Amino acid sequence: MAGNWNIKSVFLLFHAVVLAVEPPTLQPGEFPSDIELGSRVQIVCNLKKGDLPVTLTWKKDGKPLSTNERVTVLSFDAFSSDLRIQTIIPEDVANYSCTATNSAGSDSFTSALIVRAPPFWKQQPENTVQAIFGTRTLIACSVGGYPAPGVTWKIKSPSGSLTPISRSYKMNVLDNGTLLINDVKETDSGTYLCQAENGVGEKLEKAVRLSVHVPPSIESYSEVVTVQQGYTKSVRCIVRGERPLLVRWLKNNDELEPWSNRHETYSKETPVGTNSTLVIRNIQTQDAALYTCSVENSYGNDSWSIKMIVNEPPQSPSNIAVGDVRSRVAKVSWKSSPTLSAVTQFIVRFWKSSKYFGVKKLKEQVLSFGETSLLLRDLRPGTEYTVEIQAENSIGLSEPSDPVRFTTQEEEPGASPVDVNVLALDSGTLLVSWKSPPKDQWNGVLKGYYVSYKVKDSSSRFSYETVTTDDVTDKDEEEVTIRGLNVGTEYVVTVKAFNSAGTGPSSEEMTCATLRGDPPSAPNVRLIGVDTDSLTLDWRNPPEEGPVLQYVLELQKNGMKKHQRNLPGSISSYKVTHLQAGSRYELRLAAYNKFGRGSASSPVVAFTEALGVKSAQETEDGPFYIRLYFIIPVAVSLTVIVCAVVVAWACLKKEHIVEKNQPIYVAYGYRSSYEPSTTIQGTLKTRESRALENGYDIPWDVSGHRRSGTSDGNYTKLKQFNPNL
């Protein structure tokens, strides 16, 4: 208990001692008001009251005062501190504070050292100030002095006069004397004068040269340009700025070379900068891009971009498809390819592409841009068609699409065969011939024909023969031989064409009777004599044949038109006269009996002798070196070249031929049917001999002879006839 009391007593005693110390109080001091630069000044900091110990300190503008030989602080006793400044300079102008501190507190005062001084440079302006066009520029003019100097700015005109600058948005003088110029222009270049004065001493001034530099700027205009494919386009970049200017062109941010096969760039200087031009020739789709004009100089850079759109004809329609194909209609559909310039319409073209139709008959239909399908009408059945489509826009037509082929469904032939003829070959055989229906009525691919026949006026059903063929277009005429018929009986014959879809209509009924007997067989003809203007033939008839009423000799020179001569049936040899020397002839002989004309003989080929030269004749039994294809080239070569060795060789061959005293024949394939000029009485096809009257006077008619049932006829004498062969 006693210990606690002692501690409390000590604390109360200490508190009483502290409360007994008096805090310091200072006697304020002041600097004189007439201080000038270069003079001396002194200020005293006196402790007016307060208990010691007391600490006295000095500060300059709130910071501890730095002392030196010129600025000193002296303390002569514990109650005062003396601040002395020798030779005052502008840097001494400040606020000086003295602070007294003891254990009980502190006190201070502040006095401003104000010096009457003429204007002086706190920050001397530069001789030249660089400004950038369009920016905000400051020209410093920081001065000191007391009283505070007034700062004015003036601008020097081209004539040399100075004009004061008034405060405005464009130009303004700040409180610290700095000149502010907003949005600097080239016209702001020049000499500016900063003046400062305060009534003490001489005024202060400084001339500053303002240089305005212009960074590049591009005059911008339309940022999108549309060009037609194949045309030439120039794009100009108008640049303002201080030279030298570096201009570059970029395509999609990749720098373009100054020159290439299809583009080039060139520049032309102007009073305020330069104009750069990009020229693109024969513009194509790949030229559609973003083009950038980029320019720079020492003071800045600028760029401007333009988007080039290339207008071109649209792309060909795609995904061409033909569906729902029927015999006379089909539906075609397609897709429109994307394009920069909108499609205005589609053109659909289609034509027959089948090999059966040689002429390309084009059909065309135009549809608006919104339609992407079309029903093709009025098509031919069983026909192959080709369809292609073009798109069109304001620029032009696209390339045709890939052609698409399709074949319509077949229908039965729409017409019957034409030019149906029926000819009796013998007592039990009819030859039926016809031509195909018009090709536009086939309605597909003809597979063949049904030839129907039956006895006239009978109630029996038709029998038929089927004629099939792989390619009827290779034949001008079709025929079929009907055998095993009744002797001397009239038959009704019709012909129908058919394809894979069915059978077409029947032709008109043709009526023809089989013969009551058989025409004679072909004579066995030989060549037995040759001269310059004549050929002599003989022949033999098969012994079992009946009597021959007459012969028809068919004569053809050098593959030209055939001529006929009628000969009596009683002869077995004949000399053909009035021929041309050195010519090739082909001869056939056919015999007539009361039932008609028989088959012609195999052809006999012979050469008449050339004038002064004995010719060799060739037949099917002779050796190759005396045949037509060998003798003619050799003879022509002998005549033209006149080569002695070849002539000698030919003579040897000629002698060899002469020694062989035997007729020579040449066999040619021949259709064993006869097609004389005919007439039809009713529906019965018959022969007549009026076409041969120039050879013989024939007072009888074969058809009439058959009808009358007579067994022979009579002949007049042979006329003096020259066929001029």
Side-chain angles (χ1 to χ4, degrees):
M1 189 64 145
N4 291 339
W5 175 254
N6 290 336
I7 293 173
K8 185 176 181 181
S9 299
V10 172
F11 177 77
L12 292 175
L13 179 62
F14 175 78
H15 182 67
V17 172
V18 171
L19 290 178
V21 176
E22 183 179 6
T25 302
L26 293 176
Q27 176 68 43
E30 292 183 358
F31 288 108
S33 61
D34 57 350
I35 301 173
E36 295 183 359
L37 292 176
S39 62
R40 290 186 296 271
V41 71
Q42 177 181 350
I43 186 172
V44 178
C45 179
N46 289 318
L47 181 63
K48 183 177 180 180
K49 60 181 180 179
D51 293 331
L52 298 176
V54 175
T55 302
L56 299 174
T57 59
W58 288 93
K59 291 183 178 182
K60 178 182 180 181
D61 290 334
K63 297 179 180 180
L65 177 66
S66 297
T67 60
N68 51 43
E69 294 180 354
R70 195 176 55 80
V71 179
T72 60
V73 175
L74 300 175
S75 297
F76 298 104
D77 50 40
F79 304 102
S80 65
S81 178
D82 189 5
L83 171 61
R84 296 179 182 182
I85 301 175
Q86 303 289 336
T87 315
I88 296 174
I89 61 175
E91 286 77 4
D92 296 330
V93 176
N95 291 318
Y96 293 87
S97 302
C98 179
T99 302
T101 305
N102 66 8
S103 60
S106 64
D107 189 19
S108 65
F109 72 88
T110 300
S111 178
L113 174 59
I114 298 174
V115 178
R116 289 179 56 86
F120 60 90
W121 297 117
K122 289 184 177 180
Q123 180 181 353
Q124 185 173 0
E126 299 178 356
N127 294 330
T128 302
V129 174
Q130 309 291 337
I132 304 299
F133 181 90
T135 62
R136 178 184 180 187
T137 299
L138 297 171
I139 305 177
C141 186
S142 179
V143 295
Y146 187 80
V151 177
T152 59
W153 282 91
K154 296 180 180 179
I155 184 170
K156 190 175 184 179
S157 65
S159 62
S161 60
L162 293 172
T163 303
I165 295 175
S166 57
R167 295 176 181 268
S168 65
Y169 169 77
K170 176 68 176 177
M171 294 186 182
N172 189 18
V173 179
L174 304 181
D175 292 340
N176 63 0
T178 299
L179 176 62
L180 170 64
I181 305 177
N182 288 309
D183 193 16
V184 175
K185 304 296 183 185
E186 292 176 272
T187 54
D188 295 330
S189 299
T191 301
Y192 292 80
L193 184 65
C194 174
Q195 294 179 331
E197 57 181 345
N198 60 356
V200 179
E202 296 181 356
K203 64 181 179 181
L204 195 66
E205 63 182 16
K206 174 74 177 194
V208 179
R209 175 68 184 174
L210 177 64
S211 294
V212 178
H213 298 286
V214 182
S217 63
I218 299 175
E219 179 182 333
S220 61
Y221 51 97
S222 173
E223 296 181 352
V224 178
V225 61
T226 301
V227 187
Q228 188 167 332
Q229 186 180 33
Y231 280 46
T232 296
K233 181 64 178 180
S234 60
V235 181
R236 179 178 294 181
C237 182
I238 302 174
V239 181
R240 293 174 57 90
E242 188 171 324
R243 288 187 287 269
L245 294 163
L246 175 61
V247 181
R248 297 179 302 146
W249 283 93
L250 298 92
K251 176 182 178 181
N252 291 336
N253 296 324
D254 294 328
E255 186 171 353
L256 289 172
E257 294 295 330
W259 181 90
S260 74
N261 290 334
R262 291 199 306 106
H263 81 265
E264 64 177 311
T265 61
Y266 60 89
S267 298
K268 180 181 179 181
E269 292 188 353
T270 64
V272 295
T274 186
N275 291 343
S276 181
T277 303
L278 169 65
V279 179
I280 306 175
R281 296 178 293 272
N282 187 25
I283 290 179
Q284 300 300 316
T285 305
Q286 60 267 27
D287 295 320
L290 184 69
Y291 292 88
T292 302
C293 174
S294 176
V295 59
E296 62 179 310
N297 62 8
S298 301
Y299 307 101
N301 59 73
D302 195 11
S303 64
W304 164 77
S305 297
I306 183 169
K307 183 178 181 181
M308 182 175 292
I309 298 174
V310 178
N311 269 343
E312 58 181 334
Q315 296 181 6
S316 303
S318 59
N319 293 22
I320 313 298
V322 180
D324 196 18
V325 179
R326 302 182 183 180
S327 60
R328 298 182 183 271
V329 296
K331 183 179 180 181
V332 58
S333 60
W334 62 91
K335 288 186 178 181
S336 178
S337 299
T339 181
L340 293 175
S341 182
V343 172
T344 56
Q345 62 183 22
F346 294 101
I347 301 173
V348 181
R349 298 186 180 92
F350 60 99
W351 62 89
K352 298 175 183 177
S353 56
S354 173
K355 60 183 178 180
Y356 304 119
F357 301 92
V359 179
K360 180 178 177 180
K361 187 176 180 181
L362 188 69
K363 293 185 179 181
E364 180 178 290
Q365 285 190 254
V366 178
L367 289 83
S368 64
F369 69 93
E371 301 179 75
T372 56
S373 64
L374 174 65
L375 189 65
L376 306 180
R377 303 177 183 274
D378 300 327
L379 305 179
R380 295 299 308 169
T383 303
E384 185 182 63
Y385 283 88
T386 300
V387 60
E388 66 181 22
I389 306 172
Q390 284 181 283
E392 185 176 12
N393 61 12
S394 59
I395 308 303
L397 287 169
S398 71
E399 292 295 323
S401 65
D402 292 335
V404 174
R405 290 180 172 83
F406 66 94
T407 301
T408 55
Q409 296 179 0
E410 292 189 355
E411 292 181 359
E412 321 63 48
S416 62
V418 297
D419 293 343
V420 179
N421 290 319
V422 184
L423 177 65
L425 296 182
D426 54 35
S427 59
T429 307
L430 293 178
L431 176 66
V432 184
S433 63
W434 65 91
K435 293 182 180 178
S436 63
K439 292 182 179 179
D440 60 353
Q441 296 295 320
W442 289 3
N443 296 340
V445 178
L446 291 185
K447 300 294 185 180
Y449 301 89
Y450 296 126
V451 181
S452 303
Y453 60 94
K454 72 173 184 175
V455 176
K456 184 179 179 182
D457 297 330
S458 70
S459 60
S460 61
R461 301 179 64 180
F462 278 95
S463 301
Y464 67 89
E465 295 280 346
T466 302
V467 179
T468 60
T469 180
D470 294 331
D471 192 352
V472 298
T473 58
D474 290 340
K475 292 185 179 180
D476 182 56
E477 188 176 69
E478 290 288 327
E479 63 180 28
V480 66
T481 302
I482 304 175
R483 305 180 186 278
L485 304 178
N486 299 330
V487 177
T489 304
E490 282 191 308
Y491 283 87
V492 176
V493 180
T494 63
V495 184
K496 300 178 183 178
F498 69 88
N499 58 20
S500 59
T503 304
S506 298
S507 65
E508 292 184 6
E509 292 185 350
M510 301 296 293
T511 303
C512 185
T514 56
L515 301 179
R516 297 183 181 277
D518 295 326
S521 302
N524 185 12
V525 182
R526 297 183 304 164
L527 179 67
I528 61 174
V530 178
D531 205 344
T532 57
D533 62 350
S534 66
L535 298 171
T536 303
L537 305 173
D538 76 350
W539 60 86
R540 293 187 303 274
N541 289 321
E544 70 276 5
E545 301 287 350
V548 174
L549 301 180
Q550 67 171 340
Y551 294 98
V552 175
L553 177 63
E554 190 176 83
L555 185 65
Q556 185 178 23
K557 182 185 76 173
N558 295 331
M560 298 172 64
K561 183 179 179 181
K562 296 178 181 179
H563 294 271
Q564 290 181 344
R565 295 187 185 184
N566 293 335
L567 308 177
S570 58
I571 65 175
S572 61
S573 64
Y574 181 69
K575 185 176 183 178
V576 186
T577 59
H578 300 89
L579 303 180
Q580 185 175 343
S583 298
R584 177 185 182 277
Y585 287 90
E586 187 175 311
L587 303 97
R588 292 181 178 85
L589 187 67
Y592 276 93
N593 65 9
K594 64 180 180 179
F595 298 112
R597 170 176 168 165
S599 301
S601 66
S602 299
V604 176
V605 178
F607 288 88
T608 55
E609 294 181 355
L611 295 176
V613 179
K614 190 173 182 180
S615 300
Q617 306 302 321
E618 59 177 328
T619 71
E620 59 183 347
D621 298 324
F624 77 93
Y625 49 80
I626 62 172
R627 294 189 180 180
L628 175 63
Y629 58 78
F630 188 85
I631 293 179
I632 289 180
V634 172
V636 172
S637 299
L638 291 175
T639 304
V640 176
I641 304 175
V642 194
C643 177
V645 176
V646 178
V647 170
W649 181 85
C651 290
L652 289 175
K653 297 304 175 184
K654 181 178 69 174
E655 291 178 3
H656 177 71
I657 295 171
V658 171
E659 289 176 358
K660 297 186 65 169
N661 189 11
Q662 180 178 352
I664 302 172
Y665 300 91
V666 178
Y668 287 79
Y670 180 70
R671 172 175 150 185
S672 59
S673 62
Y674 173 66
E675 300 181 6
S677 301
T678 58
T679 60
I680 299 178
Q681 184 173 358
T683 58
L684 179 62
K685 183 158 187 165
T686 60
R687 304 179 181 87
E688 64 176 349
S689 302
R690 289 192 295 272
L692 311 178
E693 288 179 354
N694 290 333
Y696 271 86
D697 287 330
I698 304 177
W700 51 270
D701 182 89
V702 174
S703 300
H705 166 73
R706 290 176 185 164
R707 288 191 296 271
S708 62
T710 57
S711 60
D712 57 2
N714 55 4
Y715 292 84
T716 60
K717 63 180 180 179
L718 180 65
K719 290 185 177 180
Q720 297 299 320
F721 176 71
N722 184 354
N724 195 23
L725 297 175

